[in-house]
Amino acid sequence: MTDVLAVPVEDHLALSVAVLTRLGVPADAARAQADLLLEGDLRGHASHGLRRLDMLAQRLRSGAARATAEPTLTWTTDSVLTVDGDGGLGPPTARLAVAELLGRVGRTGVAVAAVRNANHLGMLAPYVEEMAAAGVVGIALTTSEALVHPWGGTRPLVGTNPVAVAVPVPGGEPVVLDMATGQVSRGKVLDHAARGLPLAPGDAVDAAGVPTTDAAAAVDGAISPFGGPKGYALGLVIEVLVATLTRTALGEDVRGTLDPSDPSTKGDVLIALDPTAFGAGGAEVAEYLAVLRSATPAPGHDRVLVPGDRARATRAANLAGGVPVAQGTWARAREIADDLTEGDR
Amino acid sequence: MTDVLAVPVEDHLALSVAVLTRLGVPADAARAQADLLLEGDLRGHASHGLRRLDMLAQRLRSGAARATAEPTLTWTTDSVLTVDGDGGLGPPTARLAVAELLGRVGRTGVAVAAVRNANHLGMLAPYVEEMAAAGVVGIALTTSEALVHPWGGTRPLVGTNPVAVAVPVPGGEPVVLDMATGQVSRGKVLDHAARGLPLAPGDAVDAAGVPTTDAAAAVDGAISPFGGPKGYALGLVIEVLVATLTRTALGEDVRGTLDPSDPSTKGDVLIALDPTAFGAGGAEVAEYLAVLRSATPAPGHDRVLVPGDRARATRAANLAGGVPVAQGTWARAREIADDLTEGDR
């Protein structure tokens, strides 16, 4: 596509940092947020990339996101950390939590952080990858706005509730899962509706709860859970588990990642498990993954991948060739930065 | 179906206990195993019910399951429990682990058990339900024989790797997820092949990796992961996470739940999280679940269910009306018991 730029990494980061610091965000926190926007674009998930900067700026202006938030991190037991984000940006808050977990889990073997009152974390993979890079199994669960219909229902009542897991592999790259429990993203539904493109069967239902491939009908309907009733059950359990441990909102009360002014009422749970606490002598994971990656592909498939392989390859290619950013997204971010330079704060 | 008996609960338990104790299993362990077989049939999952007694008896005779195993439970940190099942039956081993976790998690807030060298646990729901009944969030993950093809692959290389989660709900029944990450069970594939019935699209592939509804072709092929690539990624991450924390086998090296003589090489991970350690003031889970359960059903659906609702209703009905057991299964169990009475041990 001709309207996608290849932006140098430094420029991508610098533009996000400029906007955020001009809105009063301290440099460290701005960089943490900028890193997550970069990771979204690097991995080809524009919906988690620089495109979000506009909404973040609006939320900082409205006060729904607090630029100078001071998160409170409290170890309520030796291995349970509660985090109140003070309404601040998600990435700096979650990075603090991950650092605390990593400083603790070597002794306790398991440590859990329950985060509330923080804004959108962005892609979850980078947090669990940070844990895996330290040799620790990482799990991240988040609630989000109700966009998915319950199995057998018509209305969106369940979040897209993503889950990320990274398992370190001695002598190899980690296995990394990062997925929403909805079949498609809201962004894809809106994009296809705007462009008159159909959705795939099973992606969504219309306002009456009838499965549809008409993206415009799906806009007024709901995203379907991935994998039918099992995916619904998984997404719902994430919703209830996260809300229970973080004491945050559920269903339609989850707000604050898709709008400019509602406080963020979702929650995040981060779990760290140190394999060394579970005994010596590892499983033969690297050998198993080699068997998978060399398995005969089925007709219509090029190869068998291990979760994390595709994102890793995409990220490496974009690191080398430039970060893909839609021209309109880049122009809008520049515009926001320029407006702020002129003192419109 | 006329060939399904309605067995009194006491008779169901007594028959299992008789067979197991006659094979040298101590009374307590026999009862723990019998309870799990009962739960399988009570919830309508015959594949996890009394039908398994024959294989368990064969495994006890061959020594693949040790009747008088003495599990070793070791707290390696304040919140990490490693369990070596000594080759014994799964349920008594896992029940010991759950009891240890529940005795610990009130103080630590989180506790994890990694179980190896134990036989098949049976249904996972009862373990996490026991935790939820104590007000604790329970998570259970297990590896199993490679029956599922990786996404884009042809051969079975991933276990059906089930996951169970129970979240206690103040003032209500817990939310309970218990599902395999394969689209269908191996038992269903074999059953449909034997009866000449088709599978559903997406259930399985043939030996060439081509999707098929021909159950006979699927017998030589592989079960598909539920939900396509996302379900594959979830099942694989469970495989790798469990193997890493329990230091057990992966892929085709996972053995010992479907055959009479191979040692059990799978692993089990149990996680307990005590919500009270995460702070006062709960989420409004009961209210949210009421909204879900009263939601307008989509065309073709009777109602919206919360995970655990159907199993709870089925269990209650069977508790009242008798445990459904296929006549052939009951006759075979009686035969095994009678043979043992005659001293054939």
Side-chain angles (χ1 to χ4, degrees), chain A residues 170 275-285, chain B residues 116 242-250:
Chain A
T276 61
F278 290 78
E284 297 185 335
V285 178
Chain B
R116 55 184 294 165
V242 170
T244 296
L245 296 185
T246 61
R247 300 170 293 125
T248 52
L250 294 134

Side-chain angles (χ1 to χ4, degrees), chain B residues 89-247:
Chain B
L89 296 172
T93 309
R95 288 291 191 195
L96 282 175
V98 169
E100 283 286 314
L101 294 180
L102 290 179
R104 180 62 57 104
V105 72
R107 177 165 62 77
T108 59
V110 58
V112 183
V115 181
R116 55 184 294 165
N117 208 10
N119 276 272
H120 190 245
L121 263 51
M123 292 200 70
L124 293 181
Y127 304 101
V128 292
E129 286 171 350
E130 184 179 346
M131 295 197 246
V136 169
V137 174
I139 302 174
L141 306 168
T142 298
T143 50
S144 59
E145 271 88 343
L147 297 172
V148 176
H149 65 83
W151 189 248
T154 65
R155 281 200 303 141
L157 289 170
V158 184
T160 56
N161 302 351
V163 50
V165 180
V167 182
V169 178
E173 299 286 354
V175 176
V176 183
L177 165 79
D178 182 5
M179 66 182 200
T181 50
Q183 178 65 17
V184 290
S185 67
R186 176 75 174 170
K188 181 172 179 177
V189 174
L190 293 172
D191 175 72
H192 280 223
R195 297 162 66 193
L197 296 174
L199 298 170
D203 280 357
V205 299
D206 64 19
V210 178
T212 184
T213 57
D214 178 351
V219 169
D220 298 324
I223 297 166
S224 292
F226 94 95
K230 288 189 180 190
Y232 158 57
L234 182 67
L236 184 64
V237 157
I238 292 173
E239 181 113 11
V240 173
L241 185 152
V242 170
T244 296
L245 296 185
T246 61
R247 300 170 293 125

Side-chain angles (χ1 to χ4, degrees), chain B residues 261-273:
Chain B
S261 56
D262 284 349
S264 172
T265 59
K266 55 82 186 168
D268 316 291
V269 170
L270 303 165
I271 304 175
L273 297 144

Side-chain angles (χ1 to χ4, degrees), chain A residues 220-236:
Chain A
D220 299 324
I223 296 166
S224 292
F226 94 95
K230 289 189 180 191
Y232 159 56
L234 182 66
L236 183 64

